[in-house]
Amino acid sequence: MRISFCCTGTPAQPWLDGLRAALPGALVEEWTAAAAPADYAVVWAPPQAFFDQQTQLKAIFNTGAGVDALLKLRLPPGVPLVRLDDAGMAVQMAEYVCHAVIRHFREFDAYEADIRQGRWTFREPHLRQDFPVGVMGLGVLGERVSRALAAFDFPVRGWSRSAKTIPGVQCFAGAAQLNDFLAASRILVCLLPLTLDTENILRRDTLARLQPGGYVINVARGRHLVDEDLIALIDSGHLAGAALDVFRTEPLPAAHPFWAHPKITVTPHTSARTLRGESIAQIAGKIRLLESGQPLASLAATVDFNKGY
Ligand code: NDP
Ligand code: OXD
């Protein structure tokens, strides 16, 4: 069995070593334009040339959770695409989102500013019931984030395509319930995949439906958010601010107004990192299952090309 590795921007050697150790019978190679045909691809942001040259793949493994960039390429028809299924990302996402929610709710930025000026001051505690958190996307990551927020006793709302039942979370589903979900939320967390249906979903008319003093946390993809609409709603006072981890252009261009906006916090697409060891274990486990003749349908996180995630 031959595995071709093609992950742009990722040092290859540790992945090659890890995959070889996990699958001792496999020939694991970094892709080159002259590479022999492989059975499996392990990829992140590969060039189109990769798929044009690798024409005999049995499955493609994406070393991230989001497949929006891959789905823009011409993929070999009929070849299944498998994305990471948590692989250590869900707990990181829960940490990031809870940190952002709590920092905003407890006004820790304001305390830090006071302390830097030598001021020993107190702020009136907010009530949790006034800070319902809405999580858009209740998949692998969104569900974990919702449960973590509920554990801090925040009122939690969730929105997904299909109806869900999650303890401690008031669940909404489908386009018909989007407005009710937004109106029931003050802090909004985006954990949707980027698809034709979800692109620009965080825009003036949707964000305006959040409760006054709304706060936006985007940890999914930059193209979910219309940047200038967010800034206008913050500057008008309807929204209190935002914590953004993902951007339309990454790295965030030096001249982008998000860098300097006093009510916007940015981080460099780091809310949930791919963890090499856990990812290799998951991908190798799935390759072993496929090689033993298990049907692909039994594998979690196989992308549905019709849905786009
Ligand atoms: P999943 O596929 O497990 O979950 C996606 C969720 O979004 C599902 O609940 C799905 O609904 C819902 N959804 C999709 N389309 C719609 C729609 N049109 N309307 C309402 N709900 C919809 O994905 P993950 O949780 O694993 O990952 C989510 C995203 O997080 C990734 O696609 C990626 O873009 C981003 N990400 C960001 C990272 C970062 O570091 N910033 C790291 C990892 C991921 P249903 O359950 O009904 O299908
Ligand atoms: C992912 C990401 O999709 O890192 O995994 O954004």
Side-chain angles (χ1 to χ4, degrees), residues 65-68 83-84 89 93 137-142 159-162 164 191-195 197-198 219-221 245-246 269-273 307 309:
V67 290
D68 44 288
R83 60 187 196 81
L84 285 184
M89 282 193 282
M93 206 49 107
L138 294 173
V140 176
L141 305 182
W159 183 67
S160 52
R161 206 157 120 128
S162 54
K164 312 255 181 243
L191 267 167
L192 292 165
L194 182 64
T195 66
D197 290 334
T198 66
V219 278
R221 286 291 181 266
D245 185 51
V246 287
H269 198 140
T270 195
S271 51
R273 303 288 294 269
K307 288 198 216 159
Y309 65 95

Side-chain angles (χ1 to χ4, degrees), residues 161-175:
R161 206 157 120 128
S162 54
K164 312 255 181 243
T165 307
I166 303 173
V169 181
Q170 184 186 3
C171 293
F172 298 79

Side-chain angles (χ1 to χ4, degrees), residues 7 24 27 53 68 87 92 115 132 140 145 157-158 183-184 212 249 264 283 308:
C7 291
L27 194 58
Q53 196 257 350
D68 44 288
Q92 297 177 67
I115 293 298
V140 176
V145 164
R157 329 295 187 203
T249 304
I264 296 176
I283 292 168

Side-chain angles (χ1 to χ4, degrees), residues 37-301:
D39 302 289
Y40 298 102
V42 176
V43 298
W44 179 255
Q48 180 61 51
F50 176 83
F51 292 114
D52 293 344
Q53 196 257 350
Q54 285 295 320
T55 54
Q56 295 179 36
L57 296 171
K58 295 193 226 167
I60 302 161
F61 290 90
N62 185 45
T63 63
V67 290
D68 44 288
L70 266 184
L71 294 183
K72 288 202 189 105
L73 301 179
R74 267 185 329 278
L75 299 180
V79 178
L81 169 59
V82 185
R83 60 187 196 81
L84 285 184
D85 175 20
D86 184 351
M89 282 193 282
V91 68
Q92 297 177 67
M93 206 49 107
E95 286 164 357
Y96 183 100
V97 172
C98 288
H99 174 263
V101 167
I102 291 167
R103 194 184 67 219
H104 175 61
F105 173 69
R106 295 287 303 271
E107 300 189 77
F108 284 135
D109 285 347
Y111 275 110
E112 272 175 30
D114 286 351
I115 293 298
R116 269 197 298 272
Q117 302 206 4
R119 282 207 297 264
W120 183 271
T121 47
F122 292 100
R123 285 156 200 278
E124 198 58 33
H126 294 309
L127 301 177
R128 275 178 167 61
Q129 73 230 35
D130 295 336
F131 281 77
V133 187
V135 181
M136 305 179 96
L138 294 173
V140 176
L141 305 182
E143 177 172 352
R144 178 67 182 259
V145 164
S146 305
R147 288 178 187 270
L149 290 164
F152 280 109
D153 289 348
F154 286 101
V156 184
R157 329 295 187 203
W159 183 67
S160 52
R161 206 157 120 128
S162 54
K164 312 255 181 243
T165 307
I166 303 173
V169 181
Q170 184 186 3
C171 293
F172 298 79
Q177 293 187 2
L178 176 59
N179 287 348
D180 290 343
F181 160 79
L182 293 168
S185 305
R186 177 161 173 176
I187 300 180
L188 185 67
V189 179
C190 181
L191 267 167
L192 292 165
L194 182 64
T195 66
L196 290 177
D197 290 334
T198 66
E199 183 161 10
N200 297 329
I201 196 164
L202 307 176
R203 58 177 183 270
R204 188 181 291 265
D205 65 300
T206 51
L207 297 179
R209 290 182 193 277
L210 292 175
Q211 296 175 5
Y215 191 82
V216 175
I217 300 173
N218 188 15
V219 278
R221 286 291 181 266
R223 298 190 71 81
H224 285 125
L225 175 68
V226 180
D227 298 357
E228 45 288 7
D229 289 1
L230 175 76
I231 290 174
L233 285 164
I234 294 175
D235 291 347
S236 76
H238 180 68
L239 296 180
L244 307 174
D245 185 51
V246 287
F247 306 93
R248 286 179 175 259
T249 304
E250 293 180 2
L252 183 63
H256 197 288
F258 285 163
W259 281 109
H261 199 291
K263 294 183 175 166
I264 296 176
T265 303
V266 302
T267 48
H269 198 140
T270 195
S271 51
R273 303 288 294 269
T274 293
L275 300 180
R276 191 173 55 242
E278 298 191 31
S279 305
I280 288 173
Q282 185 174 102
I283 292 168
K286 289 184 175 184
I287 290 177
R288 268 187 238 110
L289 285 176
L290 289 178
E291 287 292 298
S292 71
Q294 294 259 356
L296 187 88
S298 63
L299 298 191

